[in-house]
Amino acid sequence: MAAERVWLFDLDNTLHNAAVSSFRLLDGAMNDYIERELKVSADEADHLRNHYWHRYGATLLGLMKHHGVKPAHFLHHTHLLPTLEREVATHPHDVAALRHLRGRKYILTNAPLAYAERVLRQLGMLKYFDGVIGIEQMTMFGQWRPKPDARMFRALAARLRVPPRRCVLVEDTLAHQKSAHGVGMRTVWMQRWAKRGAHGPEVGVYLHRKPTYVCARISSLQQLRRVP
């Protein structure tokens, strides 16, 4: 019998189209937070949010490193999002595909746990996951190590008691996949919502050829059953 796979799913722009729902809410909430807490202009707040996202993979890390922002305070105030549930949607076929996918399934997101659980409940997917790992759980020796930190990927596989080669990361962000592939994980690139100008470290970049570190690319969750 083949060894059981452990699926690691990103959340935003992988399980739902965050670019037209939660990201615009989050970007605004983060800008407001930065403008208020750092006492900078609206333009400077927007610049810092984007700059730290590109440089560190998460705006929060830059704010912690350069401005002493407390992570719990930032995550709470930027993810209140009272209209979130009205914005998030999925398709029943995606839910069915996830339900029938064999193996253990976990969410691995650089978003906070409370936000991830709200989105998953709205999508009707929460009950199909064995666990949800938010950015608060990606710490090592007191340091925050969110995606794409390779040390975090190795530690996560050890925590789940599987060798990295048994893990499959399903993501829309290539930088995260490259790092996961480097520690021995398999990678699946979700391209359904990929487009020029998309949110994330690859803004303005859309590759038509599959990178060598990507094992498969998909445009729907139904295609996961064919991943080698």
Side-chain angles (χ1 to χ4, degrees), residues 187-209:
T187 59
V188 176
W189 186 18
M190 169 58 85
Q191 289 190 293
R192 179 187 295 180
W193 297 291
K195 61 181 179 180
R196 295 187 183 278
H199 188 286
E202 291 118 16
V203 170
V205 176
Y206 182 81
L207 299 178
H208 293 281
R209 290 193 300 174

Side-chain angles (χ1 to χ4, degrees), residues 71-81 112:
H73 189 264
F74 172 83
L75 293 173
H76 172 73
H77 286 281
T78 57
H79 288 78
L80 292 172
L81 307 178

Side-chain angles (χ1 to χ4, degrees), residues 1-222:
M1 179 183 294
E4 180 187 49
R5 280 182 169 173
V6 174
W7 299 89
L8 305 174
F9 284 87
D10 179 45
L11 178 63
D12 294 325
N13 275 356
T14 297
L15 296 184
H16 73 112
N17 189 358
V20 299
S21 59
S22 56
F23 277 168
R24 66 181 181 81
L25 301 175
L26 284 167
D27 288 351
M30 288 184 187
N31 282 0
D32 290 345
Y33 180 93
I34 294 169
E35 183 179 354
R36 181 177 68 251
E37 297 297 323
L38 302 190
K39 296 179 172 56
V40 298
S41 68
D43 287 344
E44 179 65 9
D46 188 61
H47 166 74
L48 289 174
R49 176 184 58 79
N50 273 297
H51 174 65
Y52 292 149
W53 175 273
H54 286 286
R55 182 172 179 182
Y56 299 107
T59 298
L60 171 60
L61 297 189
L63 294 174
M64 292 169 61
K65 180 179 179 66
H66 299 287
H67 306 280
V69 166
K70 300 298 183 184
H73 189 264
F74 172 83
L75 293 173
H76 172 73
H77 286 281
T78 57
H79 288 78
L80 292 172
L81 307 178
T83 65
L84 177 65
E85 282 76 8
R86 295 205 304 266
E87 306 288 342
V88 175
T90 190
H91 194 283
H93 290 167
D94 290 328
V95 179
L98 191 64
R99 182 173 69 247
H100 295 298
L101 186 65
R102 294 183 178 180
R104 283 190 284 159
K105 297 179 282 290
Y106 296 87
I107 290 291
L108 185 66
T109 175
N110 282 358
L113 178 63
Y115 163 85
E117 290 181 339
R118 285 176 66 189
V119 172
L120 289 166
R121 287 192 189 96
Q122 182 64 25
L123 296 176
M125 293 178 174
L126 182 60
K127 60 187 175 183
Y128 300 121
F129 286 96
D130 297 279
V132 180
I133 301 164
I135 194 170
E136 305 98 322
Q137 288 79 47
M138 297 186 216
T139 59
M140 298 176 63
F141 307 109
Q143 300 293 316
W144 289 62
R145 304 288 186 191
K147 297 180 293 185
D149 195 291
R151 292 160 293 186
M152 182 276 295
F153 282 123
R154 292 192 189 96
L156 177 60
R159 190 196 316 178
L160 298 177
R161 298 184 178 182
V162 293
R165 67 178 182 275
R166 293 251 308 278
C167 297
V168 183
L169 178 67
V170 184
E171 265 272 3
D172 69 298
T173 303
L174 289 174
H176 299 173
Q177 296 191 345
K178 187 174 183 179
S179 178
H181 180 268
V183 305
M185 293 183 177
R186 298 182 66 75
T187 59
V188 176
W189 186 18
M190 169 58 85
Q191 289 190 293
R192 179 187 295 180
W193 297 291
K195 61 181 179 180
R196 295 187 183 278
H199 188 286
E202 291 118 16
V203 170
V205 176
Y206 182 81
L207 299 178
H208 293 281
R209 290 193 300 174
K210 179 172 67 67
T212 57
Y213 51 84
V214 171
C215 302
R217 58 182 180 179
I218 62 173
S219 57
S220 71
L221 295 183
Q222 293 94 310

